[in-house]
Amino acid sequence: MALLKIRKFPDDVLKHPAEPVENIDGKLNTLLDSMAQTMYAAPGVGLAAPQVGESSRVIVLDTDHENPGKHLLKLINPKIVEAEGKIVWEEGCLSVIDYTADVERAARVLVRAWTPEQKEIEIEADDLLAVALQHEIDHLDGKLFIDRISRIKRELYRRKLKKLIREGKADDRPSSVRI
Ligand SMILES: [Zn+2]
């Protein structure tokens, strides 16, 4: 296991849809373990493989801040099979520094995925877990939460980021809510 480097917007790797997993093997399990370790260290509640530069449809999530590790989810080829209702959540992202925005998502989702134990499971989620699942699965499709806000807000963020990079402040500014 190792801490992985988290790629930041506008890194190209974040824009590309990830490849489906065809073999659940030792290499994949090592990646999942390292992703979980990187997520906890960040700290964040979720992390998708493209965020660490891997084009692979896997995510890790843990929305239970009080018992870290107890409800860790490692999901392989996750897919939203049902979605209903609407919820607006203030989202941030480990790959989008120093920015949060309100994003509208489905309030409840049913997600089907494979586990490292090679079992196909279904997860019903609402609240933060529903938001986090949609946010992470977006990463697998090459989408960031800032692709779901208005063009004006996105443009203002691009300018702010350019300024931060120019001033050399881009590296030490994580966002406050990190999915
Ligand atoms: Zn994210």
Side-chain angles (χ1 to χ4, degrees), residues 39-51:
M39 172 183 77
Y40 288 123
V45 300
L47 193 67
Q51 291 181 277

Side-chain angles (χ1 to χ4, degrees), residues 9-21:
F9 173 81
D11 193 319
D12 259 3
V13 74
L14 298 167
K15 284 196 295 204
H16 298 300
E19 297 290 328
V21 172

Side-chain angles (χ1 to χ4, degrees), residues 35-164:
M35 282 172 60
Q37 199 187 9
T38 304
M39 172 183 77
Y40 288 123
V45 300
L47 193 67
Q51 291 181 277
V52 292
E54 293 286 333
S55 178
S56 186
R57 297 189 76 85
V58 297
I59 61 178
V60 294
L61 289 143
D62 192 346
T63 54
D64 182 0
H65 295 270
E66 283 170 18
N67 306 288
K70 204 170 159 197
H71 298 107
L72 172 62
L73 291 170
K74 294 174 178 171
L75 303 179
I76 299 155
N77 296 341
K79 201 177 158 199
I80 295 167
V81 290
E82 278 173 36
E84 59 171 29
K86 277 180 189 168
I87 189 172
V88 174
W89 200 278
E90 188 186 357
E91 294 186 24
C93 177
L94 292 171
S95 296
V96 178
I97 56 166
D98 202 25
Y99 191 66
T100 61
D102 285 345
V103 180
E104 188 181 294
R105 303 272 186 188
R108 284 171 298 283
V109 290
L110 180 67
V111 169
R112 197 171 289 151
W114 289 84
T115 69
E117 295 77 31
Q118 323 233 10
K119 279 195 198 124
E120 198 175 27
I121 57 163
E122 284 187 345
I123 299 165
E124 269 185 64
D126 60 9
D127 213 57
L128 175 59
L129 184 57
V131 170
L133 282 163
Q134 291 170 84
H135 179 116
E136 298 313 328
I137 292 170
D138 262 5
H139 276 300
L140 303 182
D141 294 328
K143 262 191 212 143
L144 297 173
F145 80 96
I146 50 173
D147 296 320
R148 294 190 175 275
I149 60 177
S150 72
R151 281 181 65 180
I152 294 174
K153 281 190 187 164
R154 191 161 56 244
E155 189 51 39
L156 288 173
Y157 175 64
R158 277 181 192 275
R159 284 183 205 171
K160 175 180 163 168
L161 181 64
K162 269 190 195 155
K163 188 164 174 275
L164 286 175

